[in-house]
Amino acid sequence: MRIQQNISAELEAEKVGNIMRVIIDRVEGDWFIGRTEFCSPEVDPEVLIPIDEELTIGEFYDALASQMRKSLIYTRRQRYE
Amino acid sequence: MLTRCLSMNKKPTIDIITLGCSKNLVDSETLMGLFEAHGYHVTHDSDHPQGDIAVINTCGFIEDAKQESIDTILEFVQAKEEDRLQKLFVMGCLSERYLADLEKEIPEVDGWYGKFNYKQLLKDLEVSGERLEVRDYHRHVTTPKHYAYLKIAEGCDRHCAYCAIPIITGKHQSRPMDEILDEVRYLVSQGTKEFQVIAQELTYYGVDIDGKQHIAELIEKMADIEGVEWIRLHYAYPTHFPWDLLRVMREKKNVCNYLDIALQHISDHMLDRMKRHVTKEETYELIRRMRREVPGIHIRTTLMVGFLVKRMMTSVNSLSLPIGRVSSVWVLSPIRKRTVLIVLNTMRMMFLPRLSSSDWIS
């Protein structure tokens, strides 16, 4: 399982630098939690965007995959659609 | 309390607790919509009874899920015995499969319903009173309003040797395409943007109606509905894969490059024993073609490392093929003691565009 988690993190890290369309699902702590088209709710890795961005739950945004921590991609908003 | 509610002509509050998969969730949402249309206040997935009546929608698939369902029923039985709950009803896959045993073992439950007759509960509660015609899709969506699960069929005509789903859900029954499209339009009007299309066997959609697979046609028509932003496909089957679906995925920008398809194994011997009706080479060709026709596709899948215990080592070895790096692994419990053991559910193989076929074909 641990090996797989590392592979998962490695695969996700490869997306850093890409701009992806993201839908915002909810807020948790200091983060908006969203998903790309490659992520189904509840089962796949999610995308985190800092809460200081002005985003709305249920809306789509273009987001830049900016860094990788553990198995999640952290992104910042690039532009509003 | 319930008697008082009814005598005062006040509708009781109902807790609906959903266990199991997203197909179950849609059933719960349908029942919630039905109750709400008749004036009931309904809550969903509360940890403890909040209302007068509780309905537990159970799962009967794997051992852990069955145990969770039974534990939940017993927890609510206790609440009833402590007068924190007036009536307890059970529905779903567990009671569909084991009705006679459950009725005998847990007599404290006030009524048992299965996978298909759960709407009868409303009639049983309202002996008199007006009953409204409520379309199934006027359900109470419990997910965030921007996405919803969309169940297009129920049941499964496949008879994989390890799987209990056909026993529980019966033969494949496709919903009429017009009804599904009406539901999509309705949900869009309610704010839904993303649709998680689900069925036990997605790619079989339509075969029970006219002998032909209509999944590509359905998804294409869905994609053309204004306001549908994302369509995501869950639970495809590798045998007789409808190739036209790949064209729709490629051409329609609102169909996600994402497919959930259960491959289960890659050894011809094991695939045969599992009665999957697909071979190793056909599986390889399927993946090659998906990657060729839908560049960048992300595939989520399940794999079993063992089927019969005595074959386990063989099957583990045969799985060591490089069909792409797997992003994460879930371990499921044994389905049935001694016969089906060690189920390893591997989710979400990401077939990245940069991997050429030579990277993964042995």
Side-chain angles (χ1 to χ4, degrees), chain B residues 205-225:
Chain B
Y205 176 77
V207 175
D208 56 308
I209 296 174
D210 65 1
K212 296 175 187 167
Q213 292 166 296
H214 288 282
I215 185 67
E217 179 188 353
L218 172 66
I219 299 304
E220 192 160 28
K221 285 184 175 175
M222 272 185 68
D224 288 338
I225 293 175

Side-chain angles (χ1 to χ4, degrees), chain B residues 129-264:
Chain B
E130 184 186 7
R131 263 186 292 281
L132 308 170
E133 284 299 317
V134 180
R135 301 288 296 267
D136 279 358
Y137 62 74
H138 286 165
R139 56 187 159 108
H140 177 129
V141 174
T142 57
T143 48
K145 79 169 188 179
H146 55 274
Y147 73 82
Y149 292 97
L150 182 72
K151 185 159 69 170
I152 63 168
E154 186 62 87
C156 184
D157 280 10
R158 310 287 184 188
H159 294 284
C160 303
Y162 52 85
C163 185
I165 284 182
I167 299 169
I168 299 169
T169 61
K171 290 182 75 65
H172 185 103
Q173 296 175 59
S174 302
R175 291 177 60 202
M177 191 176 296
D178 287 346
E179 182 184 298
I180 296 170
L181 296 173
D182 281 349
E183 176 166 9
V184 171
R185 290 186 199 95
Y186 170 76
L187 289 171
V188 166
S189 76
Q190 300 299 300
T192 303
K193 298 174 180 176
E194 179 184 356
F195 291 84
Q196 320 293 341
V197 182
I198 55 172
Q200 305 291 357
E201 214 282 55
L202 189 87
T203 36
Y204 204 79
Y205 176 77
V207 175
D208 56 308
I209 296 174
D210 65 1
K212 296 175 187 167
Q213 292 166 296
H214 288 282
I215 185 67
E217 179 188 353
L218 172 66
I219 299 304
E220 192 160 28
K221 285 184 175 175
M222 272 185 68
D224 288 338
I225 293 175
E226 192 175 346
V228 174
E229 299 273 356
W230 272 355
I231 299 169
R232 189 183 306 283
L233 306 177
H234 287 276
Y235 318 128
Y237 197 92
T239 308
H240 303 302
F241 188 87
W243 301 114
D244 199 34
L245 184 61
L246 298 180
R247 176 191 61 77
V248 175
M249 293 179 77
R250 184 178 64 249
E251 292 180 356
K252 298 293 182 183
K253 296 303 173 199
N254 54 355
V255 180
C256 295
N257 282 354
Y258 177 104
L259 184 65
D260 191 335
I261 179 167
L263 298 176
Q264 307 298 34

Side-chain angles (χ1 to χ4, degrees), chain B residues 33-48:
Chain B
L34 192 61
F35 275 126
E36 285 172 340
H38 287 79
Y40 291 83
H41 175 65
V42 184
T43 68
H44 186 242
D45 269 356
S46 57
D47 290 334
H48 304 287

Side-chain angles (χ1 to χ4, degrees), chain A residues 1 4-5 7-12 14-15 21-26 35-45 57-60, chain B residues 144 146-147 149 193-194 196 229-230 232 234 255-258 296-298 300 325-331 346-348 350 352 354:
Chain A
M1 186 67 88
Q4 282 302 141
Q5 285 168 344
I7 293 171
S8 176
E10 184 186 318
L11 285 166
E12 291 301 282
E14 289 175 2
K15 291 177 177 164
R21 192 173 189 227
V22 168
I23 193 164
I24 305 298
D25 279 342
R26 65 189 187 280
R35 290 174 292 108
T36 68
E37 71 168 299
F38 307 121
C39 305
S40 193
E42 299 184 12
V43 292
D44 291 330
I57 291 172
E59 294 295 323
F60 285 94
Chain B
H146 55 274
Y147 73 82
Y149 292 97
K193 298 174 180 176
E194 179 184 356
Q196 320 293 341
E229 299 273 356
W230 272 355
R232 189 183 306 283
H234 287 276
V255 180
C256 295
N257 282 354
Y258 177 104
I297 189 170
H298 282 49
R300 181 171 185 267
R325 288 173 296 167
V326 177
S327 74
S328 56
V329 171
W330 287 357
V331 178
T346 308
M347 55 173 286
R348 207 162 175 266
M350 305 174 78
L352 299 176
R354 65 179 180 74

Side-chain angles (χ1 to χ4, degrees), chain B residues 17 19 46-49 54 56 67-82 84-85 88 106:
Chain B
I17 295 92
L19 305 169
S46 57
D47 290 334
H48 304 287
I56 302 172
Q67 191 59 53
E68 183 190 21
S69 293
I70 290 168
D71 290 346
T72 306
I73 294 168
L74 294 177
E75 181 188 322
F76 278 76
V77 163
Q78 187 178 347
K80 192 181 162 197
E81 287 174 344
E82 294 170 357
R84 290 184 286 122
L85 182 69
L88 174 59
I106 317 180

